[in-house]
């Protein structure tokens, strides 16, 4: 059988030592026979099929091929980067599953102790993550060699953790800890995480986390200032700060020097290390869209500046009509959009409600079908279309996008600015009934957050565009507004929850372990969360001699294909392309 191209015939014989015991049977006379279904499986040499090796290699990916080769050679060799990513990813999801797979693959995968050694070089104590700043410093140095600046957006958000204390190692975990070695005698309920996302490239990296129970606006402002100073020291330029709209964050924004008051809005503050630079403030558009949906559904009737009414009832009537007919008029409206309180954190429910398809369906029912229950819905149709267009402008992620989803660049600047100004004018004039049944502006009530949130986002986006695209020696030729979204941080939280299968509320030790593993080489994709993967922004890839962290996350693009680097030198000059040439580029980008 060791001979090449050998094939058995009727007179060929094979030793019984190559068969396992269950392949034999014994008759009544004690004679032993080989079963017809027996297959030889025991060999003292490796069976290699040389003639078909090239075909087999072509059918195997890098990781299966390397595992197959390691099983055959039975020699200790250096693990490749792909195999390390596979091993750490599988071990991240389930250590028990990893042990099982490693045993079945004849110990071809790294030992769990080896994986723990890879993690041991990184310290992820609460506070600023030194390893992340080391990776950032290395990346900035590499970019400067090719004459590029590192431009980022800074964002922060909280993730709820399980309220639990436990002893591990040499300390008790679970108490409030903001770094510096000081631990309060209060059990932590949240992890406040800070992350930077590159605007002119496609990477992100968490730079700090703090275990908190509650934190005032002034304390958060101090953390933001310290983050900006540290990032500026290593050469990272931060142009924006993104957060959601709780009262603590609003107090933090005021403490930093920005003003979101609708009558005297100044949605930016000066950089603490360079007063010539502005740091623009954004209240995450996805959160603002959900809050605006909540206000619209709760109030039920909004009144425009010209007196026309925007009614929630039309949305409900459209859903009833579609359920009755068993058809949908080209939209995704379902019961979940009407009874949104059961899934109030789902962004897609709000985005599908404020959509052009719902507006077109309402308009068709009023103007073409002449249904009386939709009479007078023109103001509602205009409201839905305006919010939909503004959200598209604030959520652009494809450099080859068209229409409202196109990146903001010199040829689309005026259209994007017009949409945002139109939205600001509409939101400023919205009114609702007060306690005494008189009409009051929504921005003067307790439901004002989505109003000034959207307005601040619009102004900040145009300010960032002017700083990054229109200034002399600008680092960008266009602006993708999705780079400013808090979705990148939400997806990071979703990956943390995916540790060990799925854990919606990890305790402090589990959070800390997942945080560390996400900084090391891996291929972890997002789990179940409140937002969807929309681009291929990855954890920063930087390997140095002293710290081996932040390997690429091998995520697959969902809707669009964004180039590895978003700088202008790697993209076609879309403005100078003919219509015939733009079409195949657009088709390729949507693959």
């Amino acid at each position: 059988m060791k001979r090449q191209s050998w094939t058995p015939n009727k007179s060929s014989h094979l030793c019984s030592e190559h068969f396992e015991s269950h392949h034999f049977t014994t008759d009544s006379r004690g004679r032993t026979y080989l079963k017809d279904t027996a297959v030889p499986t025991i060999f003292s040499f490796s069976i290699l099929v040389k003639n078909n090796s090239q075909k087999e290699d072509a059918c195997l990916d890098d990781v299966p091929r390397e595992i197959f080769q390691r099983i055959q050679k039975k020699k200790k060799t250096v693990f490749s980067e792909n195999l390390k990513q596979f091993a750490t990813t599988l071990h991240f999801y389930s250590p028990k599953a990893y042990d099982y797979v490693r045993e079945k693959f004849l110990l071809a995968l790294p030992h769990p102790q080896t994986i723990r050694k890879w993690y041991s070089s990184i310290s992820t104590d609460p506070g600023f993550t030194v390893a992340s700043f080391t990776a950032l410093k290395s990346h900035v140095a590499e970019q400067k060699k090719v004459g590029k600046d590192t431009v980022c957006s800074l964002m922060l958000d909280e993730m709820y953790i399980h309220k639990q204390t436990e002893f591990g190692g040499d300390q008790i975990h679970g108490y409030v800890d903001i770094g510096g070695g000081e631990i309060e005698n209060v059990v932590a309920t949240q992890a406040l995480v800070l992350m930077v996302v590159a605007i002119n490239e496609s990477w992100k990296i968490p730079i700090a986390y703090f275990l908190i129970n509650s934190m005032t606006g002034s304390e958060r402002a101090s953390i933001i200032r310290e983050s900006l100073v540290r990032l500026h020291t290593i050469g990272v330029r931060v142009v924006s700060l993104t957060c959601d709209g709780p009262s603590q964050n609003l107090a933090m924004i005021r403490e930093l020097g920005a003003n979101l008051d609708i009558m005297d809005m100044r949605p930016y503050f000066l950089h603490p290390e360079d007063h010539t630079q502005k740091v623009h403030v954004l209240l995450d558009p996805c959160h603002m869209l959900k809050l605006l949906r909540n206000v619209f559904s709760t109030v039920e009737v909004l009144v425009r500046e010209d007196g026309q009414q925007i009614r929630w009832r039309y949305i409900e009537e459209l859903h009833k009509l579609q359920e009755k007919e068993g058809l949908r008029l080209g939209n995704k409206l379902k019961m979940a959009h009407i009874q949104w309180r059961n899934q109030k954190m789902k962004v897609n429910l709000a985005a599908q409600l404020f959509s052009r398809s719902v507006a077109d369906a309402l308009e068709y029912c009023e103007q073409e079908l002449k249904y009386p229950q939709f009479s007078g819905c023109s103001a509602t149709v205009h409201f839905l279309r305006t919010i939909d267009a503004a959200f598209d402008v604030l959520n652009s992620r494809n450099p080859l996008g068209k229409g409202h989803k196109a990146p903001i660049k010199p040829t689309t600047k005026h259209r994007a600015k017009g949409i945002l100004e139109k939205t600001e004018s509409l939101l400023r004039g919205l009114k609702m009934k007060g306690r005494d049944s008189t009409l009051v502006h929504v921005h003067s009530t307790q439901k004002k957050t989505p109003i000034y949130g959207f307005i601040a986002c619009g102004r900040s986006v145009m300010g960032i565009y002017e700083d990054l695209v229109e200034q002399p020696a600008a680092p960008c030729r266009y602006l993708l507004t999705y780079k400013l979204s808090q979705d990148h941080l939400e997806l990071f939280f979703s990956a943390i929850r995916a540790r060990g299968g799925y854990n919606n509320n990890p305790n402090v030790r589990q959070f800390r372990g997942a945080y560390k593993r996400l900084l090391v080489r891996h291929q972890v994709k997002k789990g179940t969360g409140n937002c969807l993967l929309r681009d291929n922004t990855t954890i920063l890839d930087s390997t140095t001699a002293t710290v081996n962290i932040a390997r690429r996350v091998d995520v697959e693009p969902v809707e669009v294909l964004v180039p590895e680097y978003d700088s202008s030198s790697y993209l076609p000059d879309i403005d100078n392309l003919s219509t015939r040439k733009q079409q195949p580029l657009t088709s390729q980008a949507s693959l």
Side-chain angles (χ1 to χ4, degrees), residues 429-442:
L430 288 182
K431 299 178 182 179
M432 55 178 283
K433 286 186 178 181
R435 295 182 179 179
D436 54 355
S437 298
T438 59
L439 292 178
V440 295
H441 282 95
V442 179

Side-chain angles (χ1 to χ4, degrees), residues 381-395:
V381 170
H382 176 264
F383 176 66
L384 295 179
R385 286 175 175 165
T386 302
I387 300 301
D388 174 65
F391 186 69
D392 284 344
V393 172
L394 298 174
N395 202 40

Side-chain angles (χ1 to χ4, degrees), residues 85-133:
Q85 291 179 5
F86 173 79
T88 53
T89 302
L90 181 58
H91 192 268
F92 179 90
Y93 283 125
S94 175
K96 291 185 178 180
Y98 181 83
D99 293 338
Y100 176 79
V101 173
R102 183 173 182 269
E103 180 182 354
K104 291 300 180 181
F105 285 173
L106 304 180
L107 309 181
L109 295 177
H111 193 277
Q113 184 63 32
T114 303
I115 297 179
R116 284 191 285 269
K117 288 181 180 180
W118 295 340
Y119 297 142
S120 62
S121 61
I122 301 176
S123 175
T124 54
D125 294 331
F128 291 96
T129 307
V130 177
S132 297
F133 283 90

Side-chain angles (χ1 to χ4, degrees), residues 215-349:
M215 182 175 283
T216 64
S218 60
E219 293 172 336
R220 292 170 184 249
S222 298
I223 291 176
I224 295 299
R225 291 193 189 97
E226 180 65 21
S227 301
L228 293 174
V229 170
R230 294 191 179 209
L231 291 170
H232 184 270
T233 302
I234 61 176
V236 177
R237 179 183 174 185
V238 178
V239 297
S240 68
L241 172 64
T242 305
C243 60
D244 48 13
S247 57
Q248 301 93 330
N249 287 344
L250 300 179
M252 173 194 69
I253 293 172
R254 291 192 297 268
E255 185 73 19
L256 290 170
N259 184 11
L260 298 186
D261 183 65
I262 199 169
M263 305 308 296
D264 185 25
M265 183 168 289
R266 189 169 64 94
Y268 65 86
F269 60 92
L270 300 180
H271 197 289
E273 286 291 298
D274 187 355
H275 294 315
T276 62
Q277 293 185 10
K278 296 178 181 178
V279 180
H280 299 270
V281 175
L282 294 93
L283 297 184
D284 183 48
C286 293
H287 285 80
M288 296 304 104
L289 190 71
K290 291 186 292 184
L291 290 178
L292 187 61
R293 184 271 316 274
N294 299 351
V295 172
F296 185 27
S297 174
T298 303
V299 175
E300 294 187 348
V301 179
L302 296 171
V303 183
R304 297 194 318 190
E305 194 70 36
D306 58 3
Q308 295 193 45
Q309 295 183 345
I310 303 168
R311 293 182 175 272
W312 177 261
R313 177 176 60 84
Y314 295 125
I315 307 295
E316 295 177 338
E317 292 294 339
L318 177 61
H319 171 67
K320 292 178 182 178
L321 176 64
Q322 294 182 154
E323 288 295 315
K324 178 181 177 181
E325 298 295 335
L327 297 171
R328 292 181 187 160
L329 295 175
N331 59 73
K332 298 182 179 181
L333 195 64
K334 299 181 293 185
M335 181 59 69
H337 299 84
I338 306 299
Q339 298 179 355
W340 51 267
R341 291 173 179 82
N342 297 329
Q343 304 179 68
K344 61 182 180 180
M345 298 302 294
K346 296 291 184 181
V347 180
N348 64 327
L349 295 181

Side-chain angles (χ1 to χ4, degrees), residues 338-387:
I338 306 299
Q339 298 179 355
W340 51 267
R341 291 173 179 82
N342 297 329
Q343 304 179 68
K344 61 182 180 180
M345 298 302 294
K346 296 291 184 181
V347 180
N348 64 327
L349 295 181
Q352 292 166 2
L353 178 67
F354 289 105
S355 63
R356 185 174 57 182
S357 60
V358 174
D360 292 343
L362 292 175
E363 187 177 55
Y364 183 79
C365 290
E366 179 193 26
Q367 297 184 3
E368 301 295 333
L369 300 180
K370 306 294 183 181
Y371 286 143
Q373 62 266 38
F374 297 99
S375 178
C377 69
S378 58
T380 305
V381 170
H382 176 264
F383 176 66
L384 295 179
R385 286 175 175 165
T386 302
I387 300 301

